[in-house]
Amino acid sequence: MIQRLSELKQTALLELDAVKDPSNLESWRVRYLGRKSELTNMLRGLAELPIEERKTAGALANRIKGELESVLETKTEALKTISQQQNMRADESAAAQGDITLPGRPIPTGRLHPISETFNEIADIFISLGFQVVESNDVELDYYNFEALNIPAEHPARDDMSTFWIDYENERGERQMLLRTHTTNVTARNIATMKPPIRVIEPGRVYRYEATDATHLTMFHQVDGLAVDKNITMADLKGVFYDFARRFYGEGRRVRFRPDYFPFVEPGVEVAVECAICHGNGCRLCGNSGWIELGGAGMVHPKVLERGGINPEEYTGFAFGFGIDRAPMLRYGIDDLRLFFGSDLRFLRQL
Ligand code: DAH
């Protein structure tokens, strides 16, 4: 029996040595240490042996059992480590195919259009002066674009604003809707819906049916503004505009107000700012005048207030409106407005 035990140990160790796959460890254990294994049978059969042999064989069998158990444990651990290392190596070679140490591919991020940036800058300045931003639709009723602003059907001022009419007629067969020709339509709406004190700026797209060239498009951008309260005067208009011009166009830039006519203001003025390039001396950019015309302004006509339900005996107001596409053109020194709306990202990205 002692002979058989050491043979058994030899084969068991040799076989275990040959195991490379962790899943074969279990069958090895069943075969050599399991309940039906030869070793277990021999341990059970010890009782039938003579006392002397029983002692030595029993001790040996138990020792071998302990040895086999401990080599199994060592082997299990060893195979586990090997398979972990193999996994790691597999990970590494997969990673090498898509090299994780390379710098990442940049995700293209969007940015604001230069016109939107200009809107935001203008809005920030007026917000800090206590104004709020109000926007309205590009498609407008004749009433708010013209009628409410003292521009009735046959008024010659309509000729200045060649209008895109919407193909729609009301019950009386009148064409009633249009693409707004100025953002002063929002001024008319705010006078009709808000209660004084009012301080608003009104940015948006406007449309005119005109030939296009480097500085004129059928769609462009304006900002209008309106302040209505008790005792508002022309001095308030000038104060607000000077402050705006100083912050938007630069410290010390002069602003010029000259009498002008707009049906919805009385008195009305044309507003210009000193040319940024020549500082009033005259250059190509400002057509040798030294001034860049921004737009118009004035004291809201009493009839316009009245039509909107505000008592002109109690309240007065100033209004202004100017185009804003000029600003990014001046800032970036670009002389063709069409580039801004051509959707060529190579152009837009560099601004
Ligand atoms: N809406 C006028 C235009 O587009 C500009 C303008 C002039 C707006 C005077 C005003 C204003 O609010 O008071 O030519």
Side-chain angles (χ1 to χ4, degrees):
M1 182 161 189
I2 290 175
Q3 173 72 26
R4 179 66 200 131
L5 275 171
S6 31
E7 276 171 23
L8 195 63
K9 180 182 159 188
Q10 287 308 325
T11 28
L13 287 179
L14 277 173
E15 242 182 70
L16 185 62
D17 209 35
V19 172
K20 295 276 176 282
D21 187 339
S23 60
N24 293 337
L25 286 174
E26 178 59 10
S27 53
W28 182 90
R29 190 195 64 79
V30 172
R31 195 160 346 120
Y32 293 102
L33 292 166
R35 271 186 301 120
K36 291 177 183 157
S37 66
E38 198 179 342
L39 184 63
T40 310
N41 275 337
M42 283 165 125
L43 282 164
R44 269 199 217 106
L46 283 174
E48 283 136 41
L49 293 178
I51 181 86
E52 274 313 305
E53 206 185 336
R54 194 194 304 167
K55 266 192 187 163
T56 36
L60 182 62
N62 273 320
R63 208 178 64 231
I64 289 174
K65 187 172 183 238
E67 273 175 37
L68 291 184
E69 278 167 355
S70 97
V71 290
L72 175 63
E73 205 176 302
T74 318
K75 181 81 181 185
T76 309
E77 281 306 310
L79 286 186
K80 211 194 259 175
T81 316
I82 288 169
S83 95
Q84 275 169 354
Q85 281 169 351
Q86 278 170 349
N87 283 344
M88 251 159 70
R89 248 177 267 128
D91 281 354
E92 276 164 16
S93 72
Q97 282 163 22
D99 188 348
I100 58 166
T101 65
L102 284 174
R105 295 194 187 103
I107 298 164
T109 50
R111 50 156 293 175
L112 289 177
H113 191 278
I115 300 290
S116 304
E117 280 176 348
T118 307
F119 267 151
N120 290 349
E121 265 178 59
I122 294 172
D124 282 348
I125 295 171
F126 279 101
I127 286 167
S128 79
L129 292 170
F131 286 70
Q132 76 187 91
V133 179
V134 178
E135 288 177 279
S136 184
N137 302 334
D138 293 13
V139 176
E140 183 54 287
L141 292 168
D142 181 313
Y143 180 77
Y144 292 107
N145 196 85
F146 292 129
E147 281 298 317
L149 293 169
N150 261 350
I151 316 173
E154 303 308 324
H155 197 284
R158 290 202 180 203
D159 296 344
D160 296 340
M161 297 182 171
S162 323
T163 308
F164 283 110
W165 292 94
I166 303 285
D167 199 5
Y168 165 85
E169 287 179 357
N170 66 8
E171 321 77 61
R172 290 189 300 281
E174 298 158 347
R175 269 191 313 181
Q176 217 187 354
M177 286 206 281
L178 46 82
L179 295 181
R180 62 176 171 196
T181 58
H182 52 182
T183 43
T184 319
N185 73 318
V186 197
T187 296
R189 282 182 173 270
N190 285 331
I191 289 174
T193 54
M194 298 176 93
K195 297 262 161 291
I198 302 170
R199 279 171 185 74
V200 288
I201 60 156
E202 305 141 339
R205 295 178 162 210
V206 303
Y207 305 83
R208 290 190 201 171
Y209 180 57
E210 277 164 2
T212 60
D213 61 32
T215 53
H216 297 88
L217 294 180
T218 51
M219 183 281 297
F220 53 104
H221 299 84
Q222 287 188 337
V223 175
D224 264 65
L226 170 71
V228 181
D229 204 346
K230 289 182 172 141
N231 302 320
I232 292 234
T233 70
M234 199 81 177
D236 297 307
L237 168 66
K238 289 177 82 175
V240 165
F241 230 93
Y242 281 132
D243 204 39
F244 165 72
R246 184 172 56 78
R247 287 160 71 178
F248 189 71
Y249 294 99
E251 203 68 46
R253 192 68 50 76
R254 288 184 296 163
V255 182
R256 185 184 71 185
F257 294 85
R258 291 201 302 193
D260 201 351
Y261 171 74
F262 299 96
F264 36 92
V265 284
E266 182 58 38
V269 291
E270 164 227 278
V271 186
V273 64
E274 199 176 59
C275 176
I277 309 294
C278 63
H279 293 279
N281 295 326
C283 66
R284 209 163 54 103
L285 192 86
C286 55
N288 276 321
S289 71
W291 296 91
I292 308 255
E293 275 177 35
L294 294 182
M299 299 303 291
V300 183
H301 198 290
K303 272 195 180 162
V304 171
L305 288 177
E306 204 163 27
R307 207 178 272 118
I310 293 175
N311 181 2
E313 300 293 333
E314 196 182 354
Y315 293 103
T316 51
F318 69 73
F320 59 85
F322 55 94
I324 70 135
D325 302 295
R326 241 342 190 336
M329 289 178 81
L330 290 176
R331 172 170 300 174
Y332 299 114
I334 287 150
D335 56 9
D336 195 331
L337 185 56
R338 290 170 291 198
L339 287 166
F340 285 103
F341 308 109
S343 301
D344 186 337
L345 290 178
R346 289 171 308 174
F347 168 75
L348 293 172
R349 279 213 184 98
Q350 67 185 340
L351 297 184

